[in-house]
Amino acid sequence: MRRSQRNTLKQPNHLELPSYDEIGLVLQGGGALGSYQAGVYEGLAEVGVEPTWISGISIGALNTAIIAGNAPEDRVEALRGFWSTICQPADLLGHVGALVPTAFGFPDVARKWSSMWAAARALTEGQKGFFSPRFSAHIASIAKKPPTEVSFYDTTALRATLLKYANFDRINDGDVRVSVGAVNVRTGNLVYFDNTQTRLEPEHFMASGALPPGFPAVEIDGEYYWDGGLVSNTPLTEIVRECQHKDALVFQVDLWSAGGTQPGDFLDVAERAKDIQYSSRTRAITAFVSQSQKHARLIKELLEHIPEKVRRTHPLVKQAQKVADGGAVNVVHLIYKNKFFEGHYKDYEFSNDTMGEHWASGLEDIRRSFGNPDWFEIPSHDLGFVTHDVHRHETGPVPVSDASQSAPQTPELVDTATNEPSDAH
């Protein structure tokens, strides 16, 4: 079976970061693609980078629970346990179906078959420790049920899995801030459950990943909640909004890329539509932050023309000074790149082989990022907001699994410090 040639980079040494006020980890939703985020976290742990704030949506929220719910030295092992639980090895038909084309010299066909078959099994069988099919789906207008019972799958098993791999006392009483996003079914508003405001339980994380109609809504304090990705699949704004007067380093780990290839058939269209629908909207966030920085600089210049005595005493002028004294946000953007064998089903393809490849991809991407230590310097406050991304200047969307054929063996890192959005590729 064809595999990616990953992890060719050596483990880096401990990384000494500048004195940031906040180190954020932002985890996007994307189902089975989420093991890419686990690989990224392993790379952070290798160099001793510990987030002070983790914010997640959907599968990103589940990874958030595992990371924040364990001591730093146990987090990678807990992530491995979680992902090994919810993924599954190939069955007999999967093995046989892959061996036949391989024997005739078509390993790519074999890999695609394995991936498709694993996704089909997830649809029909569910995933151990995560979700299982309901024996009867409730049809509209026949028997109205509460939102917790109207879905194709039952996610009861997920609660036990979260309790097994995450300590919720640590999540609530530890030194890591945790925010997970979900949508209120009644109001349609996106809300964030935050451990600085409420005590988080497994239901809060399950609500963030309750994507209808596959998964049922989760009831919390008399309200029903669905997957936060229905409104916004990336919780970057939650951290940026509260860090306007702080120096923040944010690792944003996205599972869907806005850039892609032209679709050639209906299956390609389905996959491309998912990529666009769920990809990060970093461009809009960048425009907002850049405009805010521009206004802050303008206020600062105007304040210089006000007498010093007025600046020290007038309450409105003092408030304006606070607005003008903004911080700097440095976003290291890591975006999963599609592999040659994947299709529209990639977010529910939970095979062990593919999980391992996603994980390895994330680990290599963060290692490559750490290969440019100048990326992690605190940006100028006049600039205010910068992003870095190892994939930004690639010539077209090259599948990660084909990197050994199209890219040099020694990674060539480029300086991507810019205030341009990184979802433009």
Side-chain angles (χ1 to χ4, degrees):
M1 184 179 298
R2 180 178 178 181
R3 288 178 173 270
S4 302
Q5 295 183 7
R6 311 296 302 176
N7 294 324
T8 57
L9 303 180
K10 294 181 179 179
Q11 178 173 328
N13 297 322
H14 184 83
L15 179 67
E16 292 292 341
L17 291 175
S19 298
Y20 281 97
D21 299 314
E22 201 83 67
I23 299 177
L25 179 60
V26 174
L27 304 178
Q28 192 183 72
L33 303 174
S35 56
Y36 174 83
Q37 297 170 341
V40 169
Y41 184 80
E42 181 179 358
L44 294 177
E46 283 181 345
V47 297
V49 174
E50 295 184 13
T52 59
W53 187 352
I54 310 176
S55 186
I57 296 283
S58 196
I59 195 67
L62 303 186
N63 282 330
T64 295
I66 307 305
I67 296 169
N70 285 274
E73 64 272 16
D74 299 327
R75 289 169 179 168
V76 173
E77 191 61 31
L79 285 167
R80 291 193 188 281
F82 172 75
W83 280 96
S84 296
T85 296
I86 66 172
C87 293
Q88 60 185 347
D91 62 359
L92 178 61
L93 186 56
H95 281 301
V96 173
L99 287 174
V100 172
T102 300
F104 285 93
F106 299 101
D108 288 358
V109 174
R111 188 65 183 91
K112 291 180 181 179
W113 157 259
S114 296
S115 182
M116 291 174 60
W117 181 245
R121 289 184 64 198
L123 285 179
T124 56
E125 302 173 16
Q127 293 297 135
K128 181 187 66 173
F130 194 170
F131 61 91
S132 57
R134 291 188 186 273
F135 292 107
S136 61
H138 298 291
I139 302 174
S141 301
I142 294 181
K144 296 294 184 181
K145 299 289 184 180
T148 54
E149 298 180 22
V150 184
S151 64
F152 296 122
Y153 300 93
D154 182 355
T155 57
T156 302
L158 178 58
R159 190 178 194 278
T161 301
L162 288 174
L163 288 171
K164 179 179 180 180
Y165 291 105
N167 183 326
F168 281 81
D169 287 334
R170 175 177 284 273
I171 289 175
N172 289 289
D173 303 327
D175 54 4
V176 177
R177 183 172 178 180
V178 174
S179 306
V180 292
V183 176
N184 186 301
V185 175
R186 180 180 57 83
T187 66
N189 292 331
L190 177 66
V191 299
Y192 279 94
F193 301 116
D194 193 299
N195 66 350
T196 64
Q197 302 169 9
T198 187
R199 187 164 188 85
L200 300 181
E201 302 293 345
E203 285 74 16
H204 294 96
F205 297 89
M206 294 171 65
S208 183
L211 184 63
F215 295 166
V218 176
E219 184 178 3
I220 300 173
D221 296 332
E223 294 279 2
Y224 296 100
Y225 294 91
W226 275 333
D227 193 308
L230 292 174
V231 173
S232 175
N233 200 36
T234 302
L236 178 62
T237 51
E238 181 70 4
I239 291 183
V240 169
R241 181 170 54 249
E242 292 205 23
C243 290
Q244 292 185 19
H245 302 289
K246 296 180 180 179
D247 293 333
L249 172 63
V250 181
F251 295 91
Q252 179 182 344
V253 191
D254 287 356
L255 303 178
W256 307 89
S257 176
T261 57
Q262 296 287 353
D265 54 36
F266 283 108
L267 295 180
D268 289 345
V269 168
E271 179 182 10
R272 191 73 197 100
K274 271 189 179 181
D275 285 337
I276 295 171
Q277 180 182 359
Y278 293 119
S279 63
S280 168
R281 294 276 62 83
T282 306
R283 180 181 298 277
I285 298 170
T286 302
F288 169 77
V289 175
S290 298
Q291 191 69 13
S292 297
Q293 292 292 333
K294 179 181 178 181
H295 291 162
R297 290 195 299 269
L298 179 60
I299 293 172
K300 185 177 293 186
E301 292 174 5
L302 290 173
L303 288 173
E304 294 177 358
H305 298 280
I306 297 177
E308 183 178 353
K309 181 179 179 180
V310 177
R311 292 203 300 267
R312 291 199 311 265
T313 60
H314 198 287
L316 290 179
V317 176
K318 291 172 70 175
Q319 185 176 354
Q321 287 177 325
K322 290 183 180 180
V323 173
D325 293 334
V329 178
N330 182 0
V331 176
V332 178
H333 203 178
L334 299 117
I335 307 176
Y336 173 75
K337 292 295 184 179
N338 293 334
K339 295 178 171 59
F340 77 95
F341 57 83
E342 292 177 318
H344 68 281
Y345 47 80
K346 60 190 175 187
D347 55 329
Y348 56 89
E349 200 271 80
F350 284 90
S351 70
N352 281 345
D353 287 340
T354 301
M355 180 269 287
E357 294 218 20
H358 293 160
W359 189 302
S361 298
L363 179 56
E364 181 167 317
D365 283 352
I366 189 61
R367 284 177 173 175
R368 291 180 62 197
S369 298
F370 285 135
N372 252 4
D374 57 298
W375 286 7
F376 301 92
E377 296 298 324
I378 298 177
S380 163
H381 282 208
D382 289 333
L383 189 57
F385 185 89
V386 298
T387 65
H388 307 275
D389 173 16
V390 293
H391 296 298
R392 181 177 297 151
H393 295 300
E394 289 181 351
T395 56
V398 180
V400 173
S401 56
D402 295 336
S404 60
Q405 299 178 2
S406 58
Q409 292 297 317
T410 302
E412 296 180 357
L413 300 177
V414 294
D415 183 1
T416 57
T418 177
N419 59 359
E420 289 295 323
S422 55
D423 71 334
H425 57 120

